[in-house]
Amino acid sequence: MKKILLTCIITIFLINPAYSSDALSVYAPPSIWAQKAGSKLEGPIISLVTDIFAEFDVPVNSKFLPWPRAMLQAKNGKLDLIATIFHTDQRAEFLDFTEPYVEIPTVVIVAKGKSFPFATLEDLIGKKGIKLGGASLGKKYDELKSKLNIKEKADELSMVKMLSLGRADYAIGSKYAFLVKAK
C-alpha cells in the first residue's frame, strides 16, 4: 500500500507542471536510451515516459539539447523532466529525484592498443583525459578532478574520435553511450 501511495504522490507531483503548459517537456541524453530523430528524441526511455504520461492524457514533447543547455532549462523551469540523470548535491538544489530505475555504469575507455595499468581513478593522474561537458561522474571523481588533466567535450562521438587520433589517453563516461558511439 505504501508503494502505491508513494507512486501516486510522485505521479501527481511529476505531472502537475504539465497542466501549466501544452505538453510535458522531457529530455534524455542521447545514448542507448534515446536517439536523436530530427529535433526530437526517440527510443526506449522516451517511449516509456510517453506511455506513462499518456495514461494521464499528458502529451510529451521530447527535446534534443546539449547537456549544459538541458541543465540550464531544468534550473529555469523550462524543462519538466530529465529521464536519465545522476544525483548530485548541486543538482538536488533545483531538481527532485526518484529512486534510480536503471543502472548506468561509468567506464574509462582507451584507443585500441593504447592500454595502461588502471585500477583506481588515481591511475589517471598524469594522463590526458576527456569527458562529456557537464556530466557527473560521482563524488570520488569530484574529489580527484583538480588533480586530473581532463577536458570536456560536447558528445561521446567527439571523444571516441579524439582517442582514435591520439589526442587523449582516455575518456571517462557512460558505458552504453560509448558502446553506441564507438560502433
Side-chain angles (χ1 to χ4, degrees), residues 62-165:
S62 64
K63 295 182 173 188
F64 176 73
L65 301 167
W67 183 249
R69 191 175 316 152
M71 295 302 297
L72 183 63
Q73 286 195 8
K75 194 172 193 174
N76 293 334
K78 294 179 182 174
L79 190 59
D80 299 312
L81 189 135
I82 298 177
T84 54
I85 184 169
F86 291 108
H87 180 278
T88 68
D89 292 341
Q90 182 182 12
R91 292 173 181 171
E93 292 175 11
F94 61 93
L95 294 173
D96 291 321
F97 289 84
T98 65
E99 289 295 318
Y101 59 92
V102 66
E103 186 175 317
I104 304 173
T106 298
V107 295
V108 173
I109 65 167
V110 297
K112 190 173 185 174
K114 302 286 184 174
S115 64
F116 55 85
F118 174 77
T120 68
L121 287 176
E122 285 80 6
D123 294 330
L124 302 177
I125 296 172
K127 306 223 178 284
K128 290 190 310 187
I130 46 180
K131 74 176 217 49
L132 187 63
S136 169
L137 299 173
K139 289 183 181 185
K140 185 160 173 88
Y141 169 82
D142 289 343
E143 292 167 2
L144 189 65
K145 72 180 174 184
S146 65
K147 296 179 182 176
L148 297 176
N149 176 14
I150 194 160
K151 299 202 186 292
E152 294 190 348
K153 296 297 165 192
D155 60 68
E156 289 86 355
L157 184 57
S158 298
M159 295 190 305
V160 169
K161 286 179 181 178
M162 285 184 69
L163 286 174
S164 67
L165 294 171

